[in-house]
Amino acid sequence: MNLRTDDIINRTVIMNRLDSITSEMGIALERSAHSPIFAEACDFACCICDAAGDLVSQLSGIPILATAGSFSVKAVLKKYGGVIEDGDVFIINDPYDGGNHLPDIGIITPVFYQDELLFFCVSRAHHGDIGGSTAGSYNPKATEIFQEGLRIPPTRLMKNNEMITDVLELIRLNTRNPEMLTSDFLAQIGSNRLAARRIKEMLGTYSVATVKKAVSESLLQTETLTRQRIAEIPDGTYTAVDYIDDDGFQTEPVKIAVTVSITGDRMLVDFTGTDAQVKGFINTSVVTATCAAGIAALWFLGKDIPRNSGAFDCIEVNLPEGSLVNPRLPAPMTLCTLTPASEIIGVIFKALDQAQSGRVSAGYHRYLGPSFYGVDPRNGRYYVGFSFCSLGSGGAMAGHDGKPYMATLSNFGGVKAPNIESNEVQYPHLTLHHEMDNDTAGAGEYRGGSGMKYAFEITAETGDVVNFGDGIKFAPYGLRGGHPGSKNRSVFVHSGEEISMESKEAPRHAVKGDRIYLNTSSGGGWGDPHKRAPQKVYEDVLDDIISRETAEIVYGVIINETGIDYEKTEKRRKHS
């Protein structure tokens, strides 16, 4: 066996081992966390960066958080530089300095071996409350970031493996549920420690030089593959626009414009033409916008490309200062990891579909669901809950129907819907129904996933509800002749009165017996619905995904009591 073969084997084994370690981090975090957001919804991500802060592995968690790990580490390196020591742990959440949005808190643990800094282990997770004027930290009426919660710049949280209690206490005093926050911090720290231990075990097998070489060669190999894939796209300029309902203040839609330019092996994603920053909390941090652009581009370029800095560094992103995607202080931005991150990905899909069709999906649902908070009468404890059960569905793409009931594009299905029974134990409410919604899926040769119907009743004597999200005015788009999906709808029944809620509302007071009804948006369709196989249409009718009327009117498929009438179907499609 020659030396080059040894290098290839070592690189493959070491990089797969690092991926395995990030997966184990996620399992540890899920099983040790206190809050339902971690333990049930899995709204977190874990990654490993090298000593320079470049992303090496991010196998566990949701992409919009995992890909941001590198930004957080580089923010720590910029501030602390050569004074990082073994036994340190850092914390960060500031979206103006390496963070996504305030609820996503990063815990960063440097890994030393033989007195050399080699890696950083990063866990980023969405916490139930990080202060601010609204419990849960989603405040649709915030006009500046200071109203959204506590900003934490890169800060040392532990030294010599001991908690810096002054820092922890400062954070605890600014949150509504300090015990849960502390418990979840410990889960993140523990997850990082587990990863650090596994890395050191690996370094006991392979020399430091071998591991460093494997990592650097892997990043270079990924960059080479990514640039090869970019070079396969026809040179050109591809443009698209999409719209957000509003910002919660203005009634006009907010535009996201993108131009994707391909020149040889260079890809530039330019957001010139995007609307200026707005008053409300849909502005997005540079970190979130950059990560969303990278996620979209890499989906298009191929799933076999490792999601590390070698790939992301190939995607050039221009974010005009003062725009929605690069706002100036003190713009609020808590919603940004949902909206506009998902819309950024979607609008890039629409642009790149012009270059080569069939490689991206039609529009995904947009998140819309309330948070709810108050005191649980069963135990006297303060709670903050999120409607993770109000997920919608994915868009179709060439050869595949959209996946039903999944998280938004920015999370790529990574956030999970909690168990209904667990939800009712954790929060004072009762689920009334939770099911797919008939005749909502975006029609096409390949159809989108169906929208959902979800409703719950509040069982606490009093509480508050905050509705946040998007997609009431704009439906998920179809591609290549596919139909758009359905829109979101949200109804609050307060003391017997039905109130249609906007997508971004100030807190509403609720009382026992109040109900919330949610119709979540479906995925867009791909291709001409008349090209959908009649048998698939018939199966959708049998599964109650579409009605017989929709089968006839939209798909041109005639169904009688015994099945498909192929003769009438052929005539219907021919004359439609």
Side-chain angles (χ1 to χ4, degrees):
M1 184 180 293
N2 60 41
L3 183 60
R4 181 60 184 158
T5 303
D6 282 345
D7 288 343
I8 293 171
I9 292 173
N10 286 339
R11 181 174 68 240
T12 303
V13 172
I14 288 168
M15 297 310 295
N16 275 282
R17 192 157 176 180
L18 289 171
D19 284 347
S20 177
I21 291 169
T22 55
S23 289
E24 191 175 2
M25 289 175 72
I27 294 170
L29 189 52
E30 178 182 357
R31 293 184 178 179
S32 60
H34 184 190
S35 70
I37 299 176
F38 288 22
E40 290 276 344
C42 297
D43 193 350
F44 60 74
C46 303
C47 67
I48 296 171
C49 296
D50 65 16
D54 289 324
L55 183 64
V56 173
S57 173
Q58 56 140 343
L59 202 62
S60 179
I62 59 177
I64 203 67
L65 298 187
T67 54
S70 177
F71 287 88
S72 294
V73 173
K74 289 182 178 181
V76 168
L77 285 166
K78 181 179 179 181
K79 180 174 180 178
Y80 289 93
V83 296
I84 296 173
E85 299 175 350
D86 197 4
D88 284 345
V89 172
F90 299 91
I91 186 169
I92 183 174
N93 80 338
D94 185 6
Y96 286 98
D97 191 7
N100 285 89
H101 67 165
L102 294 181
D104 290 339
I105 298 178
I107 300 294
I108 300 165
T109 304
V111 180
F112 285 79
Y113 189 78
Q114 296 175 348
D115 297 324
E116 182 180 0
L117 174 60
L118 294 177
F119 293 101
F120 290 90
C121 300
V122 185
S123 59
R124 298 175 66 87
H126 188 116
H127 288 258
D129 184 77
I130 191 61
S133 56
T134 300
S137 304
Y138 282 96
N139 180 2
K141 296 307 174 183
T143 57
E144 54 185 17
I145 194 170
F146 308 113
Q147 297 164 347
E148 297 185 295
L150 180 66
R151 290 172 66 192
I152 307 171
T155 301
R156 186 179 276 112
L157 181 64
M158 297 182 69
K159 187 174 180 63
N160 296 324
N161 292 312
E162 295 289 335
M163 187 71 69
I164 302 174
T165 55
D166 290 349
V167 173
L168 179 61
E169 191 61 21
L170 174 64
I171 298 170
R172 282 171 50 91
L173 285 172
N174 282 278
T175 65
R176 294 172 175 85
N177 201 333
E179 289 75 22
M180 184 173 289
L181 182 89
T182 304
S183 175
D184 288 342
F185 278 170
L186 294 175
Q188 288 183 261
I189 293 168
S191 173
N192 287 6
R193 281 183 174 174
L194 172 63
R197 186 166 70 247
R198 294 286 188 257
I199 290 172
K200 290 176 182 178
E201 289 171 358
M202 180 180 70
L203 289 164
T205 303
Y206 297 93
S207 69
V208 170
T210 299
V211 171
K212 290 170 71 173
K213 183 178 182 182
V215 169
S216 63
E217 287 184 351
S218 178
L219 295 179
L220 180 59
Q221 183 184 47
T222 299
E223 179 183 352
T224 300
L225 176 59
T226 305
R227 294 204 179 278
Q228 287 174 351
R229 293 291 171 79
I230 294 172
E232 293 170 3
I233 305 170
D235 281 3
T237 300
Y238 309 99
T239 63
V241 297
D242 204 349
Y243 295 90
I244 298 167
D245 286 352
D246 51 61
D247 73 335
F249 291 94
Q250 66 187 56
T251 57
E252 298 84 5
V254 181
K255 180 176 71 174
I256 301 176
V258 71
T259 299
V260 181
S261 300
I262 306 295
T263 308
D265 66 355
R266 179 173 177 255
M267 176 185 287
L268 172 64
V269 181
D270 187 357
F271 288 91
T272 299
T274 295
D275 280 352
Q277 67 186 74
V278 292
K279 186 176 182 180
F281 72 157
I282 64 169
N283 300 290
T284 180
S285 62
V286 167
V287 172
T288 298
T290 304
C291 291
I295 289 168
L298 289 176
W299 176 317
F300 182 84
L301 293 174
K303 64 182 181 180
D304 59 325
I305 298 176
R307 270 44 176 174
N308 59 40
S309 286
F312 285 103
D313 289 350
C314 295
I315 315 302
E316 302 173 58
V317 183
N318 179 46
L319 305 169
E321 187 177 359
S323 71
L324 183 80
V325 294
N326 184 6
R328 298 183 180 93
L329 267 168
M333 57 177 68
T334 298
L335 193 59
C336 74
T337 57
L338 295 168
T339 294
S342 296
E343 288 70 34
I344 288 171
I345 296 171
V347 75
I348 294 171
F349 279 4
K350 287 203 286 187
L352 286 172
D353 184 69
Q354 299 165 30
Q356 290 179 334
S357 177
R359 297 175 66 172
V360 295
S361 73
Y364 271 48
H365 79 101
R366 300 186 181 190
Y367 179 82
L368 179 67
S371 60
F372 38 90
Y373 55 90
V375 176
D376 192 332
R378 298 169 299 180
N379 53 33
R381 296 174 183 168
Y382 197 86
Y383 69 90
V384 179
F386 295 90
S387 183
F388 284 109
C389 291
S390 61
L391 303 178
S393 290
M397 62 185 299
H400 302 279
D401 290 341
K403 296 292 185 182
Y405 195 50
M406 62 186 303
T408 58
L409 261 177
S410 60
N411 295 331
F412 269 25
V415 169
K416 301 177 183 178
N419 178 280
I420 290 293
E421 287 74 19
S422 296
N423 238 12
E424 292 174 343
V425 169
Q426 291 154 350
Y427 305 118
H429 73 233
L430 177 68
T431 300
L432 303 175
H433 60 248
H434 191 219
E435 57 190 291
M436 287 189 181
D437 200 354
N438 177 264
D439 272 344
T440 56
E445 181 179 1
Y446 300 98
R447 59 159 177 78
S450 296
M452 301 294 297
K453 294 191 294 184
Y454 173 55
F456 63 91
E457 180 178 305
I458 294 169
T459 58
E461 292 298 327
T462 61
D464 290 276
V465 173
V466 179
N467 209 39
F468 62 91
D470 203 68
I472 286 179
K473 300 175 184 176
F474 293 96
Y477 59 86
L479 281 178
R480 302 287 165 170
H483 292 195
S486 61
K487 299 175 185 176
N488 286 318
R489 182 170 180 265
S490 182
V491 174
F492 179 48
V493 180
H494 177 57
S495 300
E497 179 187 359
E498 286 193 9
I499 303 166
S500 291
M501 292 197 288
E502 299 298 328
S503 60
K504 303 163 188 71
E505 288 202 348
R508 289 182 179 271
H509 187 63
V511 298
K512 186 175 183 178
D514 284 356
R515 295 181 171 189
I516 294 174
Y517 292 87
L518 301 166
N519 292 80
T520 67
S521 52
S522 64
W526 191 95
D528 182 355
H530 278 200
K531 293 183 179 179
R532 185 167 178 81
Q535 182 62 31
K536 286 182 176 288
V537 176
Y538 181 51
E539 290 170 359
D540 285 346
V541 171
L542 293 178
D543 290 337
D544 203 29
I545 293 172
I546 63 172
S547 63
R548 285 173 60 177
E549 291 75 18
T550 295
E552 179 177 345
I553 295 169
V554 178
Y555 290 93
V557 176
I558 310 301
I559 298 172
N560 56 34
E561 298 304 320
T562 59
I564 303 168
D565 188 322
Y566 284 97
E567 183 177 347
K568 288 184 177 180
T569 293
E570 184 178 355
K571 288 181 180 178
R572 177 66 184 245
R573 287 186 162 184
K574 185 179 293 185
H575 294 96
S576 294

